Amino acid sequence: MISPKGVSPIASNNQSGRLGLVLASESPRRKALLGQAGIVPDLIRAANLDETPLKGELPRSYALRLATEKAASVAAKQRELYPAGPALVLGADTVVAAGRRILPKPDDAEGVRACLSLLSGRQHQVMTAVAVVLPDGVVRTRVAVTRVAFKRLLPAEIQAYVDCREGQGKAGGYAIQGRAEVFVRQINGSYSNVVGLPLYETVQMLRGAGYGG
């Protein structure tokens, strides 16, 4: 699947007849995670959907719906966006949940503070739904779940994290690959899932769909 130079085989897909890959997300974390697996998307295009949870929607259903809608939205324009040939469209959505509660992606200091205060000293779940749309329109999905336990956070620790602004725009108000990693007392499941894309599940899905030969 990975060339000797660590470059995705997509580079030669147009000539070999292999599938291309369109990533329906502009997340630099997802692009970097795919890069760790030697996968370089041919095209990156965000779906730009309304991500407001539906009334009564549970975390797993919410993540699955958004991942599917993101991939389907970009797939509908795939021929226009990527005219080089048939391609898979990969979409994903990561949700941090405290019980049945979906935590937001706070865009300000108070939102980050509220998330950290809620997660302090307790276990929560991180769910990433992955959706792959095949060239014939068939959609395949998987949901990865990781359980993360935070230590009890001191007010000064919360304030310092709020001040660094790292958690703004992140699901649950934190980035495990950054300063927040020191808050993690225990993790059960995929680390890359918490970052934003479960690599094992994603690579298996792409291989199963015929990507990379």
Side-chain angles (χ1 to χ4, degrees):
M1 181 173 182
I2 304 171
S3 72
K5 295 183 180 180
V7 178
S8 166
I10 280 298
S12 60
N13 273 353
N14 293 346
Q15 297 178 357
S16 67
R18 294 179 179 177
L19 289 173
L21 178 65
V22 177
L23 176 61
S25 171
E26 291 183 340
S27 165
R29 297 174 300 282
R30 292 193 178 115
K31 178 183 177 182
L33 285 167
L34 286 173
Q36 289 179 210
I39 298 174
V40 181
D42 292 276
L43 180 70
I44 295 175
R45 182 61 57 92
N48 296 321
L49 302 177
D50 180 0
E51 298 190 10
T52 304
L54 302 177
K55 184 176 181 180
E57 193 168 32
L58 296 177
R60 184 186 182 91
S61 299
Y62 170 70
L64 191 56
R65 176 176 65 83
L66 282 187
T68 303
E69 289 181 356
K70 289 175 181 179
S73 175
V74 173
K77 305 175 183 177
Q78 183 260 317
R79 291 187 179 181
E80 174 187 347
L81 296 172
Y82 183 69
L88 302 174
V89 180
L90 172 65
D93 191 75
T94 301
V95 173
V96 173
R100 297 163 62 94
R101 178 176 177 179
I102 299 171
L103 273 64
K105 297 177 182 177
D107 56 7
D108 58 23
E110 289 310 307
V112 173
R113 188 190 312 280
C115 286
L116 293 183
S117 297
L118 178 64
L119 297 176
S120 174
R122 66 181 294 180
Q123 179 176 277
H124 62 276
Q125 292 184 323
V126 180
M127 305 176 189
T128 299
V130 181
V132 176
V133 180
L134 279 61
D136 61 4
V138 172
V139 182
R140 297 178 180 176
T141 61
R142 291 187 70 173
V143 179
V145 181
T146 303
R147 291 172 176 79
V148 181
F150 270 18
K151 73 184 189 72
R152 188 169 298 280
L153 304 178
L154 300 173
E157 291 176 308
I158 293 177
Q159 185 61 52
Y161 193 74
V162 168
D163 290 343
C164 81
R165 299 185 179 181
E166 180 182 85
Q168 293 185 23
K170 308 295 194 306
Y174 75 92
I176 195 171
Q177 73 275 20
R179 297 187 185 185
E181 189 167 357
V182 300
F183 300 157
V184 178
R185 180 173 57 80
Q186 186 176 27
I187 182 170
N188 183 5
S190 167
Y191 175 84
S192 63
N193 175 45
V194 185
V195 178
L197 192 69
L199 278 182
Y200 174 78
E201 289 83 353
T202 301
V203 170
Q204 293 304 309
M205 289 179 71
L206 292 176
R207 285 178 174 170
Y211 174 75

